[in-house]
Amino acid sequence: METGKIKGPMSEPSRKYSPETEVQFVKGIGPPLAKVLAKLGIQTIGDLLYYLPRRYEDRSNFLKIRDARAGEYVCVRGKIIDVNSKRTGGGLTLIRAVISDGTGTVSLVWFNQTWIKARLEKHNGEVIAYGQVQEGNWGYEIRAPEWETIDPDDDPENFARITPIYPLTEGVAQKSVRRAIRRGLAYLDVFDEYLPADLIRRYDLRSVRWALEQIHFPESEGAQASARRRLVFEEFLYLQIALGLRQREIGLKRGISFSATQAIVDELATLLPFSLTGAQKRVIDEIYRDMRREHPMSRLLQGDVGSGKTLVAAAAMLAAVRSGYQAALMAPTEILAEQHFSTMHSLLRALGVSSTLLVGRQSAAEKRKASQAVESGTASVVIGTHALIQTGVTFHKLGLAVVDEQHRFGVMQRAALREKGIENIDVLVMSATPIPRSLTLTIYGDLDLSVIDEMPPGRKPIKTHWKQPSDRAAVYEGVRKLLQDGAQAYVICPLVSESEKMLAQAAEQLYARMKDEVFPEFRVSLVHGQQKAKDREGAMESFRRGDSDVLVSTTVIEVGVDVPNATVMLIEDANRFGLSQLHQLRGRVGRGSKQSFCILIASATTKDAEDRLRVMVETTDGFRIAEEDLRIRGPGDLYGTKQSGSFELRVADLLQDGRVLEEARQAAQTLLERDPTLAAAENAGIRAQAESQRARLSQTDVS
Ligand code: ADP
Ligand code: MG
């Protein structure tokens, strides 16, 4: 034991214990409490001590009730002077406990939790309550407070100066968790220090045992911060090592050495009416260097909407084809696959490269024809959705897969490819949603990164306006003027439902309104996810050609759609969309040299919605939007993590802990440089931890 403070059952042979020991064997826990802890997902001593407080309360310093003010979050302590309950008009039971600390009184209020009344009536001591003070009919009250009773024989741990407050679930009391953790801390010596001494010194880290003790019952705020930093660091370190080991393994495999040369880029460039941007040239160069190596490429190409990723993909595919291989391009939606096909097909044909489209909605005959072309190799490039590699298509000689991931998939594909036994091909993942670096390093830390950080020249920044629904008529008039000047407009139907069918209905209604009432003098067309492929392609194609002026659509056009003459993006009920979704939709305009507009019709229904709309008006910088999105939504929902299973960090917070992540990444690289497979005895512990991270990663499809 490092600190003398915790008195554990030193007489016990705790060496037979390990972090994997079930909590029921901890002295003072036993099976009943273990059962309660299981509700929180706590099975082992390791789970227990890594179950971290949500926040802390400084209990040496309760607020005097007299000083409480409406709107503030307060922690108060007082004697119960009255408990009562009554039925409200709405059939609810309202429980009210009035507490006093001698300076004033405040009510604690609960709805329908009649058991609380019984508990409090039996209890004739004090309670501690935390929550937001509100003005009620009977003076100040705290509704649905966090609370606990103070018993005369209470453990002193409940009154440590800084008291941990744990996340709870139904049927688990704060005190039980605290008690269990205190018992668990007696076994701190089962936690070995896996980090090498020089690393601990270099990054000024505390020991794991100290950190685990102080994270639960900190001596001071400073101690809590140091404890947390140590635990965040180790979590990131193990993850970065797991990713590093994976990257190394892929890098060691024998792959294809393509002859990717400057001549191929030049050949492509001659077909373009513009020259490549510096950033495009640079990332093509990075990709070509990877492709020439005789090991598989695993690279992430990031670039904001409109930065010109498609051409980079074309350059990579052309290099594969010129080296005698096939290339596949996989998009997240059929619409996008169709769109990619229509751009790529003409470009590639001009270069003498045959390509084919293969999507689920084609007729059986079309699909058969496409599959045959892929199988026999008469098609050098095949474009489809991710189903391409998950269905029974056999490739003649696949050498490169480009995964246009947008924000839907990407990593599962690699696993599927592996299953098909063609894992040694080169893989280029493209991401249109700029994601914060911290998230990139966590989710895609095993990919090499190329970033397009420059927009094609001559673009005018999109003007974004947020309008109230009451301004609709004026907005439509404004759009009418633009249409009269030859612009084309998208009108996006609100996200009324998760159901594709209901979305389609809403889109049909909006279409009818636009066509018959709002813009009767213009040509209006419609796309949504439930249309027959032919109808949808027809509508897209006519909009692309300029044969229709207004395209009413659901978010099926969210990603990738590219019609440079379309300069108006009108989003109905924009408050219903997420921030990155709004950014993607806005990215459909501003793609040519004309001034573009994005109009968000919305009333701010929630604080979050208001934040999103404000950010949209303030900036078009995708990276800033991604950071804001992370801040508003939290990382759990973000890019990739949701769709590909939720990989959750236990301690670290991607928003707060970016600096520690950079340090841990650097430390991981240093460790792996010195000992690439972590074979040294002193690294065995780290390796075991990293392996278990890898297991978690692959379970959640992020590997
Ligand atoms: P992304 O896929 O990154 O969102 P695209 O590849 O669709 O962007 O490109 C957006 C638009 O910019 C397209 O109309 C494309 O033709 C055009 N474009 C791409 N590269 C350049 C460039 N270097 N100069 C001018 N326009 C470009
Ligand atoms: Mg290669």
Side-chain angles (χ1 to χ4, degrees):
M1 299 274 292
E2 187 181 272
T3 68
K5 251 190 71 194
I6 306 280
K7 291 282 177 291
M10 286 308 219
S11 52
E12 286 211 5
S14 59
R15 265 297 148 197
K16 73 174 195 241
Y17 283 76
S18 80
E20 273 71 55
T21 305
E22 287 174 35
V23 280
Q24 59 162 320
F25 300 118
V26 167
K27 197 170 171 212
I29 290 189
L33 183 52
K35 228 167 139 184
V36 171
L37 294 171
K39 293 185 186 174
L40 300 173
I42 297 171
Q43 309 283 352
T44 65
I45 298 180
D47 295 341
L48 179 65
L49 292 193
Y50 277 89
Y51 194 78
L52 303 188
R54 191 161 67 74
R55 60 182 185 86
Y56 302 85
E57 272 171 22
D58 182 348
R59 292 195 166 173
S60 63
N61 202 2
F62 291 100
L63 185 79
K64 290 195 184 79
I65 292 179
R66 178 180 67 203
D67 295 334
R69 293 291 170 266
E72 286 172 0
Y73 282 85
V74 300
C75 183
V76 294
R77 170 178 180 166
K79 245 181 123 49
I80 301 171
I81 54 175
D82 185 36
V83 184
N84 59 62
S85 70
K86 73 168 198 254
R87 307 276 294 175
T88 67
L92 296 171
T93 304
L94 189 146
I95 295 114
R96 176 183 301 274
V98 183
I99 63 166
S100 162
D101 66 353
T103 74
T105 62
V106 65
S107 302
L108 310 179
V109 176
W110 296 268
F111 289 98
N112 279 353
Q113 288 171 280
T114 39
W115 66 272
I116 294 178
K117 179 163 183 264
R119 260 295 296 286
L120 292 182
E121 274 167 352
K122 261 198 289 177
H123 175 74
N124 65 14
E126 291 179 294
V127 295
I128 291 172
Y130 171 84
Q132 192 181 23
V133 179
Q134 296 181 333
E135 188 87 61
N137 291 339
W138 310 86
Y140 282 160
E141 60 188 35
I142 304 177
R143 290 175 208 158
E146 261 175 34
W147 63 284
E148 61 191 274
T149 54
I150 304 174
D151 304 315
D153 58 347
D154 239 337
D155 288 341
E157 72 220 29
N158 291 324
F159 301 95
R161 200 176 81 79
I162 301 175
T163 306
I165 309 294
Y166 295 93
L168 299 177
T169 184
E170 200 177 337
V172 185
Q174 192 61 251
K175 280 190 206 175
S176 313
V177 182
R178 223 176 272 143
R179 192 173 72 229
I181 300 240
R182 180 64 85 171
R183 304 285 181 269
L185 282 172
Y187 296 79
L188 267 183
D189 56 350
V190 305
F191 292 89
D192 288 325
E193 182 56 79
Y194 294 135
L195 305 188
D198 63 331
L199 192 150
I200 290 196
R201 226 172 305 117
R202 173 138 185 229
Y203 292 98
D204 194 19
L205 301 170
R206 305 304 299 252
S207 74
V208 66
R209 293 177 192 171
W210 185 90
L212 283 175
E213 186 193 338
Q214 292 291 323
I215 196 80
H216 292 289
F217 298 101
E219 278 157 14
S220 64
E221 274 175 40
Q224 187 270 334
S226 303
R228 187 169 177 283
R229 179 164 170 274
R230 148 74 205 216
L231 297 175
V232 168
F233 187 97
E234 76 172 34
E235 178 165 48
F236 279 143
L237 181 77
Y238 298 147
L239 184 62
Q240 292 300 318
I241 286 180
L243 293 166
L245 288 172
R246 222 193 98 76
Q247 183 173 30
R248 189 187 123 84
E249 273 167 32
I250 294 177
L252 283 179
K253 285 196 178 122
R254 276 201 87 75
I256 305 158
S257 172
F258 296 96
S259 44
T261 62
Q262 183 57 37
I264 295 171
V265 188
D266 295 341
E267 187 190 354
L268 182 67
T270 55
L271 292 179
L272 303 174
F274 44 72
S275 44
L276 294 171
T277 64
Q280 283 170 320
K281 285 185 195 151
R282 193 193 69 242
V283 300
I284 290 175
D285 202 48
E286 289 164 0
I287 291 166
Y288 274 19
R289 235 179 300 152
D290 271 7
M291 289 183 73
R292 284 194 295 267
R293 291 178 58 224
E294 57 184 21
H295 305 294
M297 167 169 75
S298 232
R299 189 168 278 278
L300 172 65
L301 172 62
Q302 265 194 352
D304 207 346
V305 279
S307 63
K309 290 182 295 299
T310 314
L311 278 174
V312 175
M317 296 200 293
L318 189 59
V321 172
R322 289 282 181 257
S323 309
Y325 288 86
Q326 286 176 304
L329 172 57
M330 289 168 287
T333 65
E334 296 198 353
I335 285 211
L336 191 53
E338 286 154 10
Q339 143 108 16
H340 272 319
F341 181 70
S342 82
T343 6
M344 290 285 183
H345 185 67
S346 44
L347 192 64
L348 293 170
R349 198 177 40 199
L351 294 162
V353 174
S354 64
S355 57
T356 187
L357 176 72
L358 184 50
V359 290
R361 291 185 207 219
Q362 286 168 310
S363 71
E366 282 173 314
K367 267 189 280 198
R368 201 172 328 112
K369 196 165 149 240
S371 302
Q372 274 163 7
V374 177
E375 203 168 332
S376 66
T378 51
S380 301
V381 169
V382 51
I383 297 173
T385 63
H386 64 296
L388 254 192
I389 49 162
Q390 277 152 0
T391 55
V393 184
T394 318
F395 292 92
H396 175 65
K397 199 179 174 190
L398 185 65
L400 169 73
V402 180
V403 183
D404 190 3
E405 172 193 43
Q406 308 296 346
H407 50 296
R408 282 189 231 284
F409 63 82
V411 197
M412 294 181 308
Q413 279 74 6
R414 283 191 282 158
L417 284 171
R418 215 172 299 142
E419 269 160 37
K420 285 198 156 188
I422 39 180
E423 61 177 318
N424 289 355
I425 61 166
D426 281 14
V427 174
L428 180 65
V429 175
M430 298 201 289
S431 158
T433 311
I435 51 181
R437 179 172 161 79
S438 56
L439 202 58
T440 312
L441 289 185
T442 321
I443 301 177
Y444 298 112
D446 54 343
L447 304 186
D448 295 307
L449 183 61
S450 286
V451 181
I452 308 186
D453 53 4
E454 178 189 356
M455 284 290 183
R459 301 266 172 89
K460 291 200 179 67
I462 301 164
K463 290 192 173 146
T464 302
H465 301 283
W466 170 13
K467 296 288 183 187
Q468 296 299 320
S470 52
D471 293 337
R472 252 197 194 99
V475 168
Y476 293 153
E477 272 322 294
V479 173
R480 183 186 317 285
K481 294 224 171 64
L482 293 166
L483 291 172
Q484 280 162 355
D485 289 344
Q488 287 173 283
Y490 297 98
V491 179
I492 305 300
C493 155
L495 208 54
V496 290
S497 158
E498 290 280 304
S499 141
E500 280 287 338
K501 208 165 153 196
M502 292 185 63
L503 274 172
Q505 268 172 18
E508 301 269 3
Q509 278 167 18
L510 183 64
Y511 168 66
R513 189 157 70 83
M514 288 293 146
K515 185 163 72 84
D516 301 333
E517 293 165 31
V518 183
F519 299 123
E521 73 273 41
F522 292 105
R523 296 160 300 176
V524 182
S525 48
L526 169 70
V527 290
H528 61 66
Q530 295 272 297
Q531 279 166 317
K532 288 209 189 75
K534 230 178 81 211
D535 296 345
R536 202 181 52 217
E537 274 167 51
M540 283 305 309
E541 200 40 51
S542 89
F543 190 68
R544 204 172 287 135
R545 277 198 313 264
D547 291 347
S548 99
D549 307 297
V550 176
L551 183 67
V552 175
S553 172
T554 58
T555 52
V556 289
I557 60 133
E558 180 183 328
V559 286
V561 168
D562 182 34
V563 182
N565 190 51
T567 53
V568 180
M569 170 58 65
L570 175 66
I571 305 176
E572 297 274 353
D573 293 350
N575 51 306
R576 292 174 185 257
F577 295 92
L579 192 48
S580 69
Q581 213 166 16
L582 290 172
H583 179 63
Q584 288 294 333
L585 285 168
R586 179 169 59 185
R588 298 309 109 220
V589 298
R591 302 175 82 83
S593 53
K594 279 193 252 162
Q595 178 63 56
S596 286
F597 301 90
C598 173
I599 306 136
L600 309 167
I601 299 188
S603 48
T605 41
T606 62
K607 170 84 172 56
D608 281 1
E610 187 185 331
D611 283 353
R612 292 196 295 268
L613 295 161
R614 238 197 14 251
V615 171
M616 283 295 291
V617 172
E618 273 170 23
T619 185
T620 52
D621 174 348
F623 280 94
R624 233 207 90 197
I625 287 182
E627 300 277 355
E628 291 290 334
D629 203 21
L630 188 59
R631 189 180 59 74
I632 295 172
R633 282 205 284 171
D637 275 354
L638 252 198
Y639 190 128
T641 51
K642 194 172 173 189
Q643 281 80 17
S644 51
S646 55
F647 177 76
E648 276 172 36
L649 293 162
R650 284 206 286 199
V651 192
D653 169 344
L654 290 174
L655 265 185
Q656 279 182 42
D657 298 322
R659 287 253 326 260
V660 187
L661 172 58
E662 297 288 348
E663 289 175 335
R665 183 168 173 82
Q666 186 190 49
Q669 277 165 356
T670 312
L671 272 170
L672 289 173
E673 267 159 34
R674 274 192 235 151
D675 182 6
T677 55
L678 297 183
E682 80 242 30
N683 289 334
I686 293 192
R687 198 183 58 221
Q689 294 296 319
E691 291 296 340
S692 81
Q693 285 284 8
R694 265 183 90 167
R696 280 179 73 205
L697 279 170
S698 52
Q699 267 167 22
T700 50
D701 283 331
V702 189
S703 71

